[in-house]
Amino acid sequence: MRKNAKEIKIIKSPAALQKFSKKMQAHGKSIGLVPTMGALHKGHASLIEMSAKNNDITIVSIFVNPTQFGANEDFAIYPRRLKADAKLCATAGANIIFAPEPQAMYPLPLQTFVHNPSLEHLYCGKYRPVHFAGVLSVVAKLFNISLPNKAYFGEKDFQQLHLIKKMVQDLNFPIKIIGAKTIREKSGLAISSRNEYMSPKEREAASSIYAGMITAKKCCKGRSTCLLPTELKNIIQKKIQQAGGKIQYIEIVNKNDLMPAKTTKNAVILLACYFGKTRLIDHLEL
Ligand code: AMP
């Protein structure tokens, strides 16, 4: 992180940001975009630093997007703290924060959505039916508003990253999507804004997610033939359940198309589970 971070500019109006980005483009400046929902942490900082290193201008969008939350989800209580976020953005090397109000992004209810009917109802989408259409649509809007050359997303949200890459390819967005490694706590727990919903005990127990996936991966490596996906799922499930977690789903999928894997070659574990009331997602390449 940079030590002498300067004041960062906060833009709230989509039209003002689009104007700024067009001006930067006209001056031949490259733009990197890091879309976030705020409550920023080291995982977000890693994306911002990557963008700042490789672009003239780095824009961080901070927007808790209502259209990607289901009716009974945590939209109302999702942590919002723009002042602390601005500090982290400045230190990590961002130039602009785009922090629109929902009214500015959705002056009228959205009627046009980006869908991926093949993938949006699988895995996380099975339990969050409106989520991925909401994500893809807001990311498409953010791309059109901030006009980036590159956009940075975490592998942490593995299915989301895949869907965004596919959208960019299918719809010819002139934007390079960069995926970044998941930043974890020392315990192995993937850092997430939602981790703060957990009690210290739950947080400790949630380290079993990574431990379970690592155990499964090790079992797989130690064998000349790969384990079957069901065997791997059982290993992970046992570890998480022993720690008090409740599994929502565990799937082993091909990392290139996210279709269910028949073997563990080129595969990735995707899972979601609950510790207390907190829903956590994680992944690990095998
Ligand atoms: P969010 O604010 O949770 O929507 O995340 C914004 C971006 O940061 C997404 O592309 C996430 O995948 C990424 N991200 C979240 N947590 C991490 C993490 N622990 N490591 C790396 N990237 C992350």
Side-chain angles (χ1 to χ4, degrees):
M1 284 198 191
R2 294 186 330 174
K3 278 204 177 122
N4 299 317
K6 288 197 187 120
E7 277 286 296
I8 196 155
K9 192 173 175 190
I10 299 179
I11 297 180
K12 292 200 161 244
S13 140
L17 182 63
Q18 204 176 44
K19 195 172 158 196
F20 168 85
S21 290
K22 278 186 184 165
K23 200 165 130 193
M24 290 302 115
Q25 276 187 340
H27 283 86
K29 304 276 188 205
S30 61
I31 299 174
L33 172 70
V34 183
T36 81
M37 296 205 300
L40 301 181
H41 50 64
K42 284 183 190 160
H44 299 114
S46 74
L47 300 181
I48 299 167
E49 284 166 9
M50 206 182 282
S51 173
K53 212 189 246 179
N54 294 300
N55 299 280
D56 298 317
I57 303 289
T58 289
I59 300 169
V60 179
S61 64
I62 297 181
F63 181 56
V64 186
N65 172 41
T67 68
Q68 70 190 67
F69 287 80
N72 299 317
E73 293 182 351
D74 56 343
F75 175 72
I77 59 160
Y78 198 87
R80 290 158 171 90
R81 41 170 181 259
L82 189 54
K83 217 169 156 192
D85 287 351
K87 260 193 187 164
L88 182 143
C89 285
T91 310
N95 307 90
I96 302 285
I97 290 176
F98 176 52
E101 295 299 327
Q103 177 66 19
M105 287 294 272
Y106 304 113
L108 293 169
L110 211 58
Q111 291 182 338
T112 311
F113 284 87
V114 182
H115 283 281
N116 181 328
S118 307
L119 292 174
E120 73 181 24
H121 293 124
L122 295 180
Y123 317 126
C124 280
K126 186 167 169 194
Y127 303 93
R128 306 189 72 191
V130 300
H131 179 64
F132 287 118
V135 168
L136 292 179
S137 306
V138 81
V139 169
K141 279 168 77 73
L142 290 169
F143 285 172
N144 286 329
I145 292 166
S146 44
L147 306 172
N149 302 82
K150 294 184 181 138
Y152 296 79
F153 295 88
E155 287 178 358
K156 158 85 173 48
D157 300 272
F158 202 88
Q159 187 177 5
Q160 168 179 285
L161 173 61
H162 181 88
L163 282 163
I164 288 165
K165 282 184 175 164
K166 191 75 177 94
M167 174 182 81
V168 163
Q169 187 182 43
D170 288 350
L171 302 183
N172 299 84
F173 279 94
I175 298 169
K176 187 162 182 205
I177 302 301
I178 316 283
K181 291 272 164 251
T182 300
I183 307 296
R184 296 178 181 278
E185 290 179 0
K186 270 201 189 109
S187 69
L189 177 65
I191 300 180
S192 161
S193 308
R194 288 185 167 104
N195 288 355
E196 59 193 71
Y197 295 156
M198 286 186 282
S199 69
K201 263 197 169 166
E202 287 168 346
R203 212 162 161 142
E204 200 183 313
S207 64
S208 60
I209 300 171
Y210 188 61
M213 293 193 298
I214 287 287
T215 308
K217 184 170 170 151
K218 277 187 187 153
C219 290
C220 189
K221 276 213 166 137
R223 292 201 173 188
S224 51
T225 53
C226 276
L227 288 182
L228 288 172
T230 42
E231 293 177 278
L232 285 179
K233 283 189 213 176
N234 288 339
I235 294 170
I236 303 163
Q237 183 168 322
K238 204 169 145 198
K239 199 99 180 174
I240 293 175
Q241 284 175 342
Q242 274 171 353
K246 219 176 112 199
I247 309 286
Q248 188 172 64
Y249 74 85
I250 304 174
E251 295 295 343
I252 315 292
V253 303
N254 293 318
K255 67 178 180 197
N256 296 327
D257 61 7
L258 295 201
M259 288 295 106
K262 294 201 173 63
T263 74
T264 49
K265 203 170 168 230
N266 284 326
V268 56
I269 303 162
L270 299 183
L271 67 79
C273 61
Y274 281 88
F275 277 84
K277 288 190 174 150
T278 308
R279 182 178 182 273
L280 301 169
I281 60 169
D282 210 337
H283 69 97
L284 190 74
E285 285 190 35
L286 291 167

